[in-house]
Amino acid sequence: MQFDPPTVPASPDELLRVRSDAAGQARELDMVSAELLTLQPSAWRSPAARAFVESIANVAHSLAQMDSTLDEGIRALAAQP
Amino acid sequence: MSLLDQRFSTGVSPAPSSGLIISGGGVLTIATDEIAELQARCRALELRLDELAWQLADLAARTSRLLAPGIAASAFTAAGRMARAAAAQLGRARGALQRAEQTYSEAEWDARRRASDEAARAAYGAGMLGALELAMLGPGCLLLVGAAALTARGPLELASGAAARWLAQHPEALSDPRFLVQVRLLSDSLDNAGRGAAATLGSQGWGTEDEARGREQFAAVVLAAASLGFGRASTAVEVTPIRTGSTSAPRTLETLASRIPGQQLPPAGAYAASGDPTRGQGDAEPSTAQVRVDRYDEQDGSPRYVVYLAGTADFSLQPGSEPFDMSSNLAGMAGLDSAALESARAAMADAGIGANDPVLLVGYSQGGLLAERLADSGEYATAGLVTFGSPGPGVDAQSVPVVALAHTDDLVPALGGVERLDASLDHVLVERSALDGMPVPEGRELPAHDLNAYRYTAQLADASGESRLTTTRTQVFDFLKDTSFGTSTEYHAVRTAER
């Protein structure tokens, strides 16, 4: 497991707060992603409506990539001694 | 409780997607409530992603302070950038929604305009043909028409009996939106049929290119035939206050709908939500009042009024003691004075409403038509107008904020024609299908005209965040914003002989 070497001796409390904030932001991202998937037009059909659905799919894809990137950062933090 | 009953009952929370269609407000777009809701939710998500981007940038900075540049800090920096990019993508998705709204509106307006033009041409031709046949058959035909008019009661009774039998067998017909589109077009084309007939007969008698005027003339002809058969309906009335009490200032469209007199009251406690202590509490019988006038005083003592007008109580063509009957309906559609209109004026006079006192007019069905007539009369300082299922064509007064609720499967507002859909400045039309494709409940000829169905639509309109509806709704209720409690008087009107 790779980890980032400390620049200054980090206080355990501060590191805990960073980890906790990162976890909170990951949860917020999950909630935004879940909410995004409910944005589906049902009552109308048109090329513009299809463009909207495609845009939402693109955003969902971006958020999935963001989720794995954020997860990578959180794992790197967790690996800190 | 069935889904239909839920929709028609009150106190049901609006579904996330209400199916409201909103037009007017000075903008030539028709927004479905769903598009407006999606736009608002997209915007909310954009803001959350922007906030997340800031938090991740802060997290990256704090991580860099604690640890040497490495995986964690660069991952948080990258995630923050992604959040910002995702928010921008959502902004583009909102742009697609705006285009969808525009496309929907253009297609809808175009379809309505084309259908209206075709109906007008067909009606003109039918009018010419009818007049031609009349001219060819000559005096004999005129004698027959005259004889039929003199004995109008027989044909009218036969026609209404046959229509009632047919409708009993096909209750779904009157709630079919496809049929109701034809009713709207027919209603708008009456002027063209009249002009076609006048052109053939070389007469300028009809001579109107105004859809509303054509409808008024047609209603006047039907009223004249009914008068021949059943006797002329008196417009004289006696109005008596039958109940007074205290009430709270209305803040929602649903409250306005719940206070319209003449309806079957919900069980005790149901009125608690609408803040109306004068009604409910176990009342099981429909109120016999046709007009209700509520007065609220400003801190300086200047009065503000809300007038509620009931719908038709007697559907017979034979004028009786009930002023809110079919003859008043026809007179109202013909633009003439009626016993129902006189009842409203008399109740307003008894309540002390002066020409300069601000008044909010609220009407259901025929009451909506009356409210429109009163607003256009210039006799009162109309501060707002709210109608539920009105058969009227809307109002001309541009400065009055208007919210009109009409079900697309309700026959009654369809009688007002197509142009009532073209709600103009400050006038917002909220449409919805009450049945939404569900079968017509047994024993209910016009379920989409049910006041409870309109109360539910009013709840959805209260919850809607569509900008034009929000603006006009605020304007309607703003004139009562400095008031809280007032007095309420219900009036019962009876038609009397002409004096």
Side-chain angles (χ1 to χ4, degrees):
Chain A
M1 171 71 71
Q2 279 186 298
F3 61 89
D4 304 335
T7 48
V8 290
S11 85
D13 282 353
E14 198 165 356
L15 198 55
L16 272 177
R17 271 200 299 277
V18 169
R19 282 174 178 158
S20 164
D21 288 352
Q25 281 148 23
R27 279 196 300 276
E28 167 69 358
L29 179 60
D30 284 346
M31 285 191 283
V32 169
S33 300
E35 171 79 21
L36 188 80
L37 295 177
T38 66
L39 297 182
Q40 295 294 333
S42 60
W44 38 278
R45 298 279 176 271
S46 71
R50 278 196 295 278
F52 171 74
V53 173
E54 281 167 18
S55 296
I56 293 298
N58 287 339
V59 177
H61 181 68
S62 301
L63 292 190
Q65 282 183 327
M66 184 181 156
D67 190 47
S68 59
T69 308
L70 186 56
D71 200 41
E72 195 181 342
I74 290 170
R75 273 188 278 115
L77 269 186
Q80 288 298 320
Chain B
M1 183 185 277
S2 70
L3 183 57
L4 191 69
D5 287 336
Q6 280 182 29
R7 286 183 186 190
F8 280 25
S9 70
T10 55
V12 178
S13 297
S17 181
S18 61
L20 296 182
I21 298 169
I22 295 145
S23 54
V27 186
L28 270 182
T29 55
I30 302 168
T32 68
D33 204 45
E34 186 187 5
I35 295 180
E37 187 197 320
L38 280 175
Q39 284 177 325
R41 288 172 61 199
C42 272
R43 182 70 189 137
L45 283 181
E46 268 177 75
L47 294 174
R48 281 171 73 180
L49 280 171
D50 266 335
E51 176 64 22
L52 196 55
W54 282 110
Q55 288 173 353
L56 286 167
D58 177 61
L59 192 66
R62 285 158 62 201
T63 308
S64 296
R65 261 202 329 273
L66 292 174
L67 310 169
I71 296 167
S74 56
F76 295 147
T77 304
R81 281 201 203 102
M82 287 174 178
R84 223 175 281 287
Q89 271 182 311
L90 264 178
R92 287 194 287 278
R94 273 201 302 131
L97 279 177
Q98 277 163 356
R99 286 194 297 281
E101 192 176 48
Q102 195 61 39
T103 308
Y104 176 87
S105 294
E106 283 168 8
E108 186 75 7
W109 286 116
D110 193 45
R112 287 177 185 184
R113 202 167 33 241
R114 268 189 293 168
S116 195
D117 289 350
E118 280 169 22
R121 274 196 294 274
Y124 190 85
M128 287 181 78
L129 196 62
L132 195 62
E133 282 177 6
L134 195 68
M136 284 168 69
L137 291 173
C141 181
L142 287 173
L143 274 175
L144 276 175
V145 170
L150 286 172
T151 55
R153 185 177 191 140
L156 280 171
E157 279 178 345
L158 273 175
S160 61
R165 278 194 299 279
W166 189 84
L167 288 173
Q169 288 162 1
H170 305 89
E172 71 287 350
L174 292 183
S175 300
D176 186 337
R178 289 166 300 183
F179 170 69
L180 297 184
V181 165
Q182 303 307 315
V183 172
R184 286 182 189 280
L185 293 172
L186 180 66
S187 174
D188 272 357
S189 302
L190 293 169
D191 63 322
N192 292 292
R195 281 193 303 121
T200 302
L201 298 172
S203 156
Q204 298 299 312
W206 192 274
T208 177
E209 291 190 37
D210 178 343
E211 286 94 346
R213 189 81 193 106
R215 196 164 34 246
E216 281 180 6
Q217 288 174 339
F218 182 77
V221 169
V222 176
L223 183 65
S227 298
L228 275 172
F230 298 107
R232 189 171 164 273
S234 160
T235 57
V237 290
E238 269 180 22
V239 173
T240 315
I242 55 170
R243 178 154 50 177
T244 25
S246 62
T247 189
S248 58
R251 308 286 183 216
T252 65
L253 297 170
E254 200 272 333
T255 305
L256 296 182
S258 75
R259 293 180 178 184
I260 288 170
Q263 56 187 306
Q264 186 82 34
L265 301 173
Y271 270 94
S274 60
D276 186 359
T278 64
R279 306 288 299 276
Q281 308 306 316
D283 277 345
E285 293 298 315
S287 159
T288 58
Q290 301 103 331
V291 185
R292 168 176 165 158
V293 181
D294 292 357
R295 175 185 169 134
Y296 304 92
D297 287 338
E298 295 267 278
Q299 286 194 341
D300 64 2
S302 57
R304 300 191 159 222
Y305 294 94
V306 184
V307 175
Y308 300 90
L309 299 159
T312 305
D314 178 358
F315 289 88
S316 142
L317 280 169
Q318 173 112 44
S321 62
E322 173 57 63
F324 282 63
D325 65 355
M326 278 309 283
S327 69
S328 287
N329 239 337
L330 285 170
M333 295 189 78
L336 304 171
D337 281 355
S338 69
L341 191 63
E342 290 309 316
S343 303
R345 285 189 176 126
M348 291 170 78
D350 185 84
I353 301 180
N356 298 317
D357 296 329
V359 56
L360 169 62
L361 297 163
V362 183
Y364 160 64
S365 192
Q366 180 177 174
L369 179 61
L370 298 175
E372 290 173 7
R373 290 286 312 279
L374 291 169
D376 268 340
S377 71
E379 297 166 39
Y380 304 97
T382 308
L385 173 69
V386 177
T387 62
F388 303 92
S390 168
V395 290
D396 295 329
Q398 291 290 312
S399 57
V400 176
V402 178
V403 179
L405 283 80
H407 291 150
T408 51
D409 39 9
D410 180 1
L411 172 71
V412 177
L415 297 173
V418 174
E419 88 275 13
R420 70 165 291 115
L421 299 174
D422 307 347
S424 56
L425 291 170
D426 299 327
H427 303 173
V428 171
L429 176 65
V430 180
E431 294 179 284
R432 188 178 77 91
S433 166
L435 293 169
D436 200 14
M438 284 192 286
V440 173
E442 208 170 317
R444 294 162 80 168
E445 278 82 17
L446 295 174
H449 192 57
D450 192 308
L451 184 51
N452 275 336
Y454 275 105
R455 285 180 65 171
Y456 180 58
T457 302
Q459 279 186 21
L460 298 173
D462 285 325
S464 171
E466 204 278 334
S467 60
R468 285 170 290 180
L469 178 56
T470 309
T471 304
T472 310
R473 206 174 50 209
T474 306
Q475 287 171 346
V476 164
F477 291 107
D478 247 16
F479 99 116
L480 290 172
K481 71 178 187 309
D482 296 326
T483 65
S484 49
F485 293 99
T487 54
S488 172
T489 308
E490 290 188 348
Y491 291 89
H492 179 67
V494 177
R495 178 186 274 123
T496 60
E498 299 275 11
R499 295 183 191 103

